[in-house]
Amino acid sequence: MEARSFTIPSCSLLAFALTVLLLISNIIPTLAGTSTTAKSNSLKIYKNFIKTSCNSTLYPALCYKYLSSYASSIKTDSVKLCNTALTVNLKTANKTSALVTSMAKKGGLRPAEKAVIEDCNEEIDDCVDELRKASNVLDNLRDALNKEDQMADIKTWVSAAMTDEDTCMDEFEENNVRESVKNKIKKSIVDLRKITSNSLALINRLSN
């Protein structure tokens, strides 16, 4: 008895293939949408963590403005939050240093004004150095055996940076410096002072 071959009509195969493709086309966007939603929810959690942390600072809005863009890398890690805050702090200090250096080289300054700016420049250079030291220690804090001592050093350096910033501002307030000269530097120093204050507040929160 001969075996009979069974052939599926080509139209049925085509219909089956189209059905499979239709199912796949519906599943892929759903999966992609689920992934996008999950990422969006995670980002909200990370940003909320930063906002809550920044509420412990004197300038929460400024804190959130500078740190929220790093939410995906900070996540909910308090050490990374402080490290990022110091990184931003250091960048701001370097920009301020460049501005003060530029002002010191400009012509038309009175001798007293030039001396004040040069003194301020030294203070900001010290500030940059102290913030760099604090950042380097914080980078290695997880592996440190004496975390309490390391945290104490970090606080000391950031506090010293704030003192240097205050000293610079005092130099401008106490000496005969024209407003046109003072105002060009003052805003940059004030902003830096606020950012450093926020860094210290976050570091204090971390140690607590």
Side-chain angles (χ1 to χ4, degrees):
M1 183 176 178
E2 292 184 6
R4 293 183 180 180
S5 61
F6 180 75
T7 305
I8 300 176
S10 59
C11 60
S12 298
L13 285 172
L14 180 60
F16 176 73
L18 289 173
T19 301
V20 172
L21 288 174
L22 183 61
L23 287 170
I24 292 173
S25 66
N26 286 331
I27 291 171
I28 291 176
T30 301
L31 292 174
T34 302
S35 176
T36 300
T37 301
K39 287 180 180 178
S40 177
N41 289 338
S42 294
L43 192 59
K44 286 180 182 177
I45 291 171
Y46 302 155
K47 286 190 174 182
N48 186 58
F49 167 73
I50 293 172
K51 190 171 186 178
T52 301
S53 300
C54 284
N55 284 338
S56 66
T57 70
L58 289 177
Y59 312 98
L62 186 67
C63 174
Y64 185 76
K65 173 186 173 183
Y66 279 103
L67 298 180
S68 59
S69 60
Y70 298 94
S72 58
S73 60
I74 293 171
K75 294 184 171 61
T76 57
D77 189 320
S78 295
V79 175
K80 282 187 178 179
L81 176 70
C82 291
N83 217 327
T84 305
L86 280 179
T87 298
V88 171
N89 205 161
L90 189 54
K91 286 180 180 177
T92 306
N94 278 318
K95 287 180 180 178
T96 301
S97 177
L99 172 64
V100 176
T101 299
S102 174
M103 285 294 296
K105 293 178 180 177
K106 282 193 173 182
L109 293 174
R110 296 170 180 169
E113 291 172 337
K114 188 174 180 62
V116 168
I117 293 174
E118 287 176 347
D119 287 345
C120 176
N121 200 19
E122 288 182 11
E123 297 293 343
I124 298 304
D125 282 345
D126 288 344
C127 167
V128 169
D129 184 55
E130 286 147 0
L131 290 173
R132 185 178 291 113
K133 287 177 180 177
S135 182
N136 289 339
V137 173
L138 193 56
D139 277 339
N140 301 299
L141 185 65
R142 294 186 197 278
D143 300 324
L145 297 176
N146 51 343
K147 287 184 173 60
E148 289 186 6
D149 290 343
Q150 299 286 53
M151 285 300 301
D153 287 343
I154 292 168
K155 290 179 186 179
T156 297
W157 283 320
V158 178
S159 295
M162 287 180 64
T163 299
D164 291 331
E165 294 155 8
D166 288 339
T167 301
C168 175
M169 283 305 305
D170 290 343
E171 288 277 351
F172 281 98
E173 298 300 335
E174 294 170 2
N175 291 280
N176 186 21
V177 178
R178 288 169 293 174
E179 289 296 319
S180 59
V181 176
K182 183 193 302 182
N183 291 339
K184 289 180 180 178
I185 296 176
K186 186 175 180 179
K187 184 182 183 304
S188 183
I189 301 292
V190 169
D191 288 345
L192 174 60
R193 176 65 170 70
K194 290 178 179 179
I195 292 170
T196 307
S197 169
N198 284 348
S199 293
L200 185 58
L202 292 174
I203 289 165
N204 284 331
R205 188 172 186 268
L206 175 63
S207 65
N208 294 333

